[in-house]
């Protein structure tokens, strides 16, 4: 098997607040939750087939030098608006990009940079 990303672990201060964005707006699927952890995935495929996003309830250390994952959404403008309602702030407004995507860049309530994208 080739190299691939299996999981992104994201530290969050409050799981319910983070879930409003990652599950409610972005649409990641909940796989399971245990004390202080919620495992989400990009789809309902079997373990090992999807990229997982592990929300870990612990004090985050935010900064722009981290990795900024891009999440594919159906409507970048609507998802950006919903993300703001869920506590995110806009870094870059939705715009068409030269590489063939519409993209916005947001900062979640814990300070992590995320991109919301959709093909043009």
């Amino acid at each position: 098997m080739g190299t691939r990303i299996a999981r992104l672990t994201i530290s969050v201060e409050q799981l319910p607040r983070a879930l409003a964005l990652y599950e409610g707006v972005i649409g990641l699927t909940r796989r399971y939750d245990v004390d202080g952890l919620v495992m989400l995935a990009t789809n309902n495929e079997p373990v090992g087939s999807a990229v997982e996003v592990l929300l870990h309830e612990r004090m985050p250390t935010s900064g722009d030098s981290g990795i900024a994952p891009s999440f594919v959404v159906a409507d970048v403008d609507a998802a950006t608006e919903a993300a703001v309602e869920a506590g995110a702030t806009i870094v870059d407004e939705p715009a068409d990009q030269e590489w063939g995507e519409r993209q916005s860049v947001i900062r979640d309530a814990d300070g992590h940079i995320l991109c919301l994208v959709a093909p043009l």
Side-chain angles (χ1 to χ4, degrees):
M1 179 175 12
T3 302
R4 65 177 189 79
I5 295 174
R7 178 177 309 109
L8 302 171
T9 300
I10 301 174
S11 298
V12 300
E13 186 176 354
Q14 300 172 17
L15 279 171
R17 180 178 69 188
L19 287 166
L21 174 63
Y22 290 93
E23 190 175 36
V25 175
I26 295 173
L28 298 176
T29 302
R30 190 180 303 209
R31 291 228 164 132
Y32 63 84
D33 52 278
V34 294
D35 190 36
L37 302 169
V38 175
M39 181 65 77
L40 304 170
T42 54
N43 58 39
N44 285 320
E45 293 182 21
V47 173
S49 299
V51 175
E52 297 175 326
V53 176
L54 177 66
L55 299 180
H56 187 176
E57 193 169 53
R58 59 183 173 189
M59 188 55 69
T61 303
S62 61
D64 289 347
S65 63
I67 295 171
S70 295
F71 293 98
V72 177
V73 296
D75 181 330
V76 172
D77 297 73
T80 301
E81 187 175 311
V84 169
E85 291 172 10
T89 57
I90 296 173
V91 176
D92 292 325
E93 294 282 344
D96 293 348
Q97 303 299 326
E98 294 177 16
W99 54 85
E101 289 180 326
R102 185 156 181 82
Q103 174 183 277
S104 70
V105 181
I106 62 171
R107 185 181 313 274
D108 74 7
D110 291 300
H112 304 294
I113 298 288
L114 310 172
C115 301
L116 302 176
V117 301
L120 290 177

